[in-house]
Amino acid sequence: DAGVIQSPRHEVTEMGQEVTLRCKPISGHDYLFWYRQTMMRGLELLIYFNNNVPIDDSGMPEDRFSAKMPNASFSTLKIQPSEPRDSAVYFCASSLMAERGYTFGSGTRLTVV
Amino acid sequence: TQLLEQSPQFLSIQEGENLTVYCNSSSVFSSLQWYRQEPGEGPVLLVTVVTGGEVKKLKRLTFQFGDARKDSSLHITAAQPGDTGLYLCAGDGGGTSYGKLTFGQGTILTVHP
């Protein structure tokens, strides 16, 4: 099992540009989560899906952020337009059941200059 | 909003010492998990506790879930430099929030040789 795969590992972009982060969850996991981690705010849940359906997107900062899960093996998080305050590490995680815990990817470190 | 408060935020100790990290909330959680995160990687699940009063041991690590399922602790015996990292507790509120984990701010542990 290759685990949760995120790409890219690092992304540096200019303010105003569109950024797309990608995630492949573990096969068979029916929950997928997008988190953002910063020193100031820790790990914040942005959005999560169950069986490819968005369940709770209340953590998405604003309309500049959008997430999709077109099938069980792929999800994207898009920021358009990006701003310097979006700089953070973005994690994708998947889970079979909450009690069994999440498996996190290695994250995408986003820097917006 | 369910909040988890971890203490201490920082812990710097010598190899061989014992330590305890606390995770507290005013909310009841259906389950609580502990993760460890190393620089440049995503959090990795250590344990899940589900039953109030439950105690789980993982080698030198002992995890306890409070009787009221509002708090938890992580105790490390004879800490080693390899234990260095960010320790995170996370709670699942259950019910309509099933599967959605709320993370504490984390405890940064440094174990000096």
Side-chain angles (χ1 to χ4, degrees), chain A residues 95-106:
Chain A
S95 173
L96 182 59
M97 292 172 58
E99 295 88 358
R100 296 188 184 181
Y102 293 4
T103 301
F104 282 82
S106 296

Side-chain angles (χ1 to χ4, degrees), chain A residues 1-2 8 18 21 28 35 37 44 66 76 88 92 100 102 105 112:
Chain A
D1 189 348
E18 177 180 297
L21 310 182
Y35 278 85
Q37 188 175 39
E44 300 176 278
S66 63
T76 60
C92 175
R100 296 188 184 181
Y102 293 4
V112 183

